[in-house]
């Protein structure tokens, strides 16, 4: 990413951002509400093209929404393989997140934590080169968050995508990431607390 700007009519949310993420590297972006974290991730996911600047992105990208966002009218397996149509891979992805037995369930029958596990299965089944995590466990309580962090570590060790995590939680950022950046007033700056 070189010189990336995103302007909305009333304000510039991202201003001249430069960022490189190496294959397999985990970068966390910390920022307050409204700092522009989701705006940045949506651009990298390809959901927003109204930008200035230069972006080079890998083809296989996956985006995990804050609220997991499953389609309520599709069973769990169909949610996982949305757009892929590969039931075998879907079953394997569900087994990886400990939900092989929930393939035929409806999303409404899942617990909150199971819903987030399915969202991770839907991301990893695509074998992404770049995984975009937008405050993925925000709605879970602390025990659930910790279990999801462990699951995420397991999945990352197995699949090794590059990761960009948006979060408001410094503990989560420092615990998971190789490098932590802060998004503030439209710019990205190192937080000084990372593991570099
Ligand atoms: N489509 C849009 N039109 C106008 N303004 C927008 C649009 N999308 C986002 N914004 C503005 O951009 C700013 C950044 O929003 P964004 O959702 O990226 O913040 P965030 O850091 O993800 O916050 P949160 O942690 O609350 O999700 C906000 O002021 C928001 O109102």
């Amino acid at each position: 990413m070189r010189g990336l700007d995103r302007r909305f009519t009333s304000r510039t949310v991202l201003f001249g951002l430069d960022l490189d993420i190496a294959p397999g590297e985990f970068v966390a972006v910390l920022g307050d509400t409204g700092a522009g974290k989701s705006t940045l991730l949506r651009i990298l996911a390809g959901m927003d093209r109204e930008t200035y600047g230069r972006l080079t992105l890998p083809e296989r990208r996956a985006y995990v929404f804050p609220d997991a966002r499953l389609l309520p009218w599709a069973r769990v397996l169909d949610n996982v393989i949305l757009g892929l149509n590969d039931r075998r891979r879907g079953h394997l992805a569900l087994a990886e997140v400990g939900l092989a037995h929930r393939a035929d369930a409806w999303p409404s029958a899942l617990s909150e934590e199971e819903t987030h596990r399915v969202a991770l299965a839907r991301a990893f089944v695509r074998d992404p080169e770049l995984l975009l995590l937008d405050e993925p466990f925000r709605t879970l309580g602390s025990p659930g968050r910790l279990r999801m962090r462990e699951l995420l570590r397991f999945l990352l060790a197995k699949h090794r995508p590059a990761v960009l995590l948006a979060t408001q939680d410094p503990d989560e950022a420092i615990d998971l990431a190789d490098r932590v950046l802060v998004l503030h007033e439209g710019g990205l700056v190192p937080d000084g607390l990372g593991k570099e």
Side-chain angles (χ1 to χ4, degrees), residues 8 11 13 31-40 135 138 168:
F8 295 111
R11 63 180 278 229
V13 174
D32 293 334
T33 298
K37 303 180 298 299
S38 298
T39 301
L40 175 61
E135 300 194 54
R138 180 166 70 176
Q168 296 190 32

Side-chain angles (χ1 to χ4, degrees), residues 176-195:
L176 285 168
D178 302 311
R179 188 152 59 104
V180 182
L181 303 171
V182 177
L183 186 56
H184 183 65
E185 294 184 349
L188 271 180
V189 290
D191 81 328
L193 301 170
K195 301 169 188 167

Side-chain angles (χ1 to χ4, degrees), residues 6-14 29-42 48 63 66 134-135 138 166-168 183:
R6 179 57 166 112
R7 296 173 199 155
F8 295 111
T9 36
S10 52
R11 63 180 278 229
T12 300
V13 174
L14 305 175
V29 172
L30 267 174
D32 293 334
T33 298
K37 303 180 298 299
S38 298
T39 301
L40 175 61
L41 263 60
R42 286 170 53 80
D48 176 2
Y63 182 94
D134 193 354
E135 300 194 54
R138 180 166 70 176
T167 181
Q168 296 190 32
L183 186 56

Side-chain angles (χ1 to χ4, degrees), residues 130-148:
L130 177 62
L131 175 65
L132 302 159
L133 300 172
D134 193 354
E135 300 194 54
F137 316 132
R138 180 166 70 176
T139 58
L140 290 174
S142 318
R145 273 186 197 215
L146 291 178
R147 281 193 297 271
M148 292 302 286

Side-chain angles (χ1 to χ4, degrees), residues 38 42 47 63-72 79 107 110-120 122 132-140 148 166:
S38 298
R42 286 170 53 80
M47 292 188 275
Y63 182 94
V64 177
F65 293 92
D67 53 3
R69 219 175 282 188
L70 303 184
L71 302 176
N79 263 283
L110 301 178
S111 70
E112 178 101 23
E113 188 175 323
E114 285 176 329
T115 303
H116 286 274
R117 284 174 183 263
V118 174
L120 284 184
R122 183 173 59 186
L132 302 159
L133 300 172
D134 193 354
E135 300 194 54
F137 316 132
R138 180 166 70 176
T139 58
L140 290 174
M148 292 302 286

Side-chain angles (χ1 to χ4, degrees), residues 77 87-97 125 158:
L77 179 67
R87 298 180 75 79
R88 190 188 67 84
R89 272 172 69 186
H91 280 293
L92 288 174
L94 278 171
E96 274 185 2
V97 300
V125 76
K158 191 158 183 196

